[in-house]
Each structure stands twice: as C-alpha cells, then as structure tokens.
Amino acid sequence: MRQELLSLPKTLAVDVARNLVMVAKLLDEDPERAYGHSRVALRLASRVGAVREAAGFASYGVEKYAEALTEFRAARRMTGSVHLWPIMADCERGMGRPERALTMAGEPEVQRLDRAGQIEMRLVAAGARRDLGQPDAAVVTLECQELASTAVHPWTARLRYAYADALLAAGREAEARTWFAKALDADQGGVTNASDRLAELDGVEFLDALDPEADDWDEPETAGTPVAAADDGDDDGQEDAQEPEDGDSADDPEEQEDHSGLDADDDEPEDRDGLDADGPGDGAADAEDADGRAQA
C-alpha cells in the first residue's frame, strides 16, 4: 500500500492514507462510518489498487455486495493478486447467486490461494450449498485434512464452527454439539458464538441481570407500587401522629393548640391585620387587651 501511495502527490497521499486508516479502524465497530471514509479515499485516488480494495471491504461491511464486487474486481485488475477471490465469491452469494459462487470455487484461481485462502473458499462454497438447500453437500465440502488436524490456526475455529453448523442443518445434532465444543476450544479470539450455540443445544438460557426488560427478570412485588395502609391503621405513622392520645376527642378545645394567638375562651378571632372582627379600633388598646387576656 505504501508503495502505491508514493505515486501520489505528498499532500494527496497523506489525505488518502488518513482515510484508509479510518476505514481499517472502523470497519468492525462502525461500518457505516468506515464506508464514508472509503468513499472519500475513492474520490481522491480511484486509480490506486489499495484504495479500491479498501472501498470493497467497506461496501461489503454494509452489505452493498454489488458495489463491493465492482471494487474487488477493479483492485484485482490493478494488482493482479488473487487473494480477493473468496470474498468476491461471497459477494456473489450476497447478491443471490450461489451457483456463481460454486463455479468460482472450481476455478484455477483457487489453486493459487494460500492455505488460509483455500479454507476461506471452502467456507464460501459450503455456504453456497446451504443457500441452495443442500446441507449434506455443505458437510462434505467442509470435510478436509485441515478439519481433522489438532493444530490451531487463525481460521481453525471458523472452520470447525461452520462444520458444526452444517451438521446441525443436516439433522446430526449429536455430532454438531461435538464440533461446536471443538470450535470453542480453538476460538481464542472470540470470533464465533460457539458457546451460545452449545448452551442452546443443552437447553441452557442465559439472562442479562442488568437488562430490566429481560422476560424472566423478577422484580419485587412492591416495586413502583404504593404501599396500602393496613386495616388496623397502625402502619401509618402520620395518621397515628394526628390521632389524640388517651382516647380524648379531637374536638376538645382544651387539648388543641391555639394557632391564632388567642386563648380558647375568646369568642371572636383577631383580624390578621391587627383589627377586631367588628371593625377598626385602637391598636395599642387592642395590644393591651391582648396582653391582659394572656396574663389572665
């Protein structure tokens, strides 16, 4: 890639390189953004093979298979490399043409692939067989020397997982469980969900304890529900505080606090503005009268 970018003016090469770095960084975690950066790089340097390849992977990541195939074909013409052959065949599958993918699996280009590329081609061909409703043929396609090997390679977990999945589709559940377990043993990077498939076969269901919307999540019966008062009225502290003690009536004026500032014997309440209820009067006299009543 570096050699290809050196053919561009320096400033342009830097801009293209930055976008390609973002494509590689975001391809798994945010494929939409990766696709956007790939389009920028493609607009800047469409005659660079590395740019066309990156654009192909970004399009593949957002399931634009026809667009991805076009970019991969362009990259292959520019570089002469065959390493993109398996993913080109998988694009044919994505476009609903599994027969074309199977035809590509038998082309001479497959023999020029390295070991990892040939395994990838087997995976694509097995997927095409299953697309055509041929699970037994998919099982046979995946049976190879690499599957029987005990050595673990970067592609081992995916190969074993695909074989287990094909066995399950063919109705061979016991064998499928064995190979899901083998896939899990080889899956050092967590590239498959073999553990989930094993749990599913064993009838084990995992619940997310932090998910409040989980179907089987048990919440306390009183959560979010007002607590009703007990029949005997003893559970409500506020009601107890309002009830008079020693069985006295709440209407007894001698047991109530006079919040108006008057004794309970007064017949007329004091006006809020310091005036008697009967009309305006002498404020000092009123105050003196009030003091007299208080002393009494």
Side-chain angles (χ1 to χ4, degrees):
M1 178 186 299
R2 180 181 178 83
Q3 190 64 33
E4 292 182 89
L5 292 178
L6 288 176
S7 63
L8 300 174
K10 185 176 180 179
T11 302
L12 180 59
V14 170
D15 290 341
V16 172
R18 286 174 177 171
N19 281 281
L20 294 182
V21 168
M22 293 304 296
V23 171
K25 182 179 180 180
L26 298 171
L27 194 57
D28 292 329
E29 60 186 60
D30 194 343
E32 288 290 345
R33 286 182 60 194
Y35 177 77
H37 283 284
S38 74
R39 304 315 292 179
V40 174
L42 189 62
R43 186 174 66 251
L44 295 174
S46 61
R47 296 182 179 275
V48 176
V51 171
R52 303 302 291 267
E53 181 176 332
F57 277 107
S59 299
Y60 182 87
V62 294
E63 300 183 0
K64 297 180 181 291
Y65 298 115
E67 190 175 294
L69 184 58
T70 298
E71 301 302 335
F72 287 141
R73 284 174 174 169
R76 182 169 175 264
R77 286 195 303 269
M78 293 176 180
T79 63
S81 175
V82 297
H83 73 282
L84 295 173
W85 195 256
I87 196 169
M88 290 170 61
D90 205 40
C91 287
E92 296 284 2
R93 284 186 60 210
M95 295 167 63
R97 301 189 299 209
E99 300 90 346
R100 177 57 185 157
L102 289 174
T103 299
M104 293 180 67
E107 296 289 344
E109 283 81 357
V110 177
Q111 303 305 317
R112 296 170 53 191
L113 294 170
D114 60 13
R115 193 177 183 186
Q118 291 182 359
I119 294 297
E120 197 66 36
M121 195 69 243
R122 280 186 181 274
L123 294 173
V124 174
R129 289 294 184 187
R130 292 188 59 181
D131 292 343
L132 293 170
Q134 303 171 0
D136 292 311
V139 171
V140 173
T141 300
L142 293 169
E143 291 175 340
C144 56
Q145 181 181 356
E146 290 80 5
L147 182 66
S149 175
T150 58
V152 176
H153 300 280
W155 38 262
T156 300
R158 293 179 59 241
L159 177 61
R160 293 178 180 179
Y161 181 92
Y163 187 61
D165 203 28
L167 287 169
L168 190 61
R172 297 158 64 176
E173 184 174 320
E175 295 174 81
R177 192 198 181 286
T178 298
W179 281 97
F180 277 129
K182 291 183 177 181
L184 182 59
D185 290 340
D187 193 358
Q188 301 173 353
V191 296
T192 71
N193 65 336
S195 60
D196 294 338
R197 301 299 297 276
L198 277 172
E200 182 181 346
L201 289 174
D202 293 340
V204 177
E205 183 178 359
F206 295 100
L207 295 177
D208 185 357
L210 300 179
D211 183 5
E213 298 181 358
D215 293 338
D216 295 333
W217 176 253
D218 294 329
E219 296 184 353
E221 293 182 359
T222 59
T225 304
V227 180
D231 293 338
D232 57 5
D234 292 337
D235 292 337
D236 192 338
Q238 294 181 353
E239 292 183 1
D240 290 344
Q242 295 174 357
E243 293 180 0
E245 298 179 357
D246 301 329
D248 292 335
S249 172
D251 297 330
D252 189 350
E254 295 182 357
E255 298 296 332
Q256 296 182 359
E257 180 182 359
D258 185 3
H259 296 285
S260 65
L262 300 178
D263 293 339
D265 296 332
D266 290 339
D267 295 332
E268 295 179 356
E270 180 182 0
D271 186 75
R272 292 181 182 272
D273 296 329
L275 302 178
D276 292 338
D278 295 334
D282 188 350
D286 291 342
E288 180 180 356
D289 184 56
D291 292 340
R293 286 198 301 270
Q295 291 176 2

